[in-house]
Amino acid sequence: MKKILFITLMSSGGGAERVLTHLANYFSENNLEVYFYSFKNNGYYNISDKIKVNSPNIKCCKTTKYKEINHLRCYLRNNKFNCIISFGFPACIKLAFASIGLSIRKNIIMSERNDPTHNISSKLKRRLRIWAYNSAKYVVFQTKEAMEYFPAQIQKKGIIIPNPLITNNIKRAEI
């Protein structure tokens, strides 16, 4: 059975987490072994019981980011995933560091979930994001404009996939 891992910073609260949960549920219902890894557990959207959840309980301290990356690296080494999909640039950066020297890089898809022109104020974080996206096999963008923001080498790996419209969450309008 194919194993797929979804990685995100938080487990619920935003649109990226909702889309990730929707995709994870879809894949788990279609005979894939699905894993959900979030750096911060702040509750979950309605997630299938078939999905294996891992959220490291790392306490805040000066070395938290190092511990998070190290925990993810150990998790990746101990589990063989056919595909790893990371949502949001903070999770993508952590995944890029955690995967250095591992053969899994050919299985990584990273997803930019926000407008890249307004999302990061720090020059260092912008450079880290570009470095991380360069380490992925593919990078998913929601719009053509978001993809065109990045250098050509990232655009070559780019795929545009808009957010899905999840109709069971829409209430019928009364006219």
Side-chain angles (χ1 to χ4, degrees), residues 8-132:
T8 186
L9 187 62
M10 296 183 291
S11 52
S12 73
E17 293 79 16
R18 186 180 60 250
V19 170
L20 184 151
T21 302
H22 181 71
L23 287 172
N25 286 336
Y26 173 82
F27 287 129
S28 73
E29 295 302 320
N30 286 279
N31 300 322
L32 287 172
E33 192 173 336
V34 178
Y35 295 76
F36 188 106
Y37 187 103
S38 61
F39 289 96
K40 297 175 185 170
N41 179 354
N42 61 332
Y44 294 94
Y45 284 102
N46 188 17
I47 193 164
S48 170
D49 293 336
K50 295 178 182 179
I51 297 172
K52 295 158 187 73
V53 177
N54 187 320
S55 184
N57 190 16
I58 298 171
K59 303 294 182 201
C60 292
C61 64
K62 291 182 181 179
T63 61
T64 298
K65 290 197 184 341
Y66 171 77
K67 287 181 179 180
E68 288 176 337
I69 291 167
N70 191 47
H71 186 276
L72 177 58
R73 184 174 180 82
C74 290
Y75 186 71
L76 294 170
R77 276 185 169 157
N78 293 328
N79 296 279
K80 301 295 181 209
F81 298 104
N82 299 94
C83 182
I84 301 164
I85 303 174
S86 183
F87 270 54
F89 82 90
C92 292
I93 291 170
K94 290 176 185 183
L95 173 59
F97 276 113
S99 65
I100 290 174
L102 301 179
S103 63
I104 61 165
R105 286 191 169 212
K106 65 183 181 303
N107 301 337
I108 294 176
I109 299 170
M110 294 186 180
S111 184
E112 173 67 42
R113 304 308 302 170
N114 293 304
D115 179 351
T117 64
H118 295 99
N119 174 343
I120 304 174
S121 58
S122 161
K123 189 180 246 186
L124 174 62
K125 287 182 182 177
R126 284 194 303 271
R127 287 184 178 166
L128 283 172
R129 177 177 59 184
I130 289 172
W131 169 78

Side-chain angles (χ1 to χ4, degrees), residues 126-140:
R126 284 194 303 271
R127 287 184 178 166
L128 283 172
R129 177 177 59 184
I130 289 172
W131 169 78
Y133 290 171
N134 271 321
S135 73
K137 183 170 183 174
Y138 300 106
V139 182
V140 175

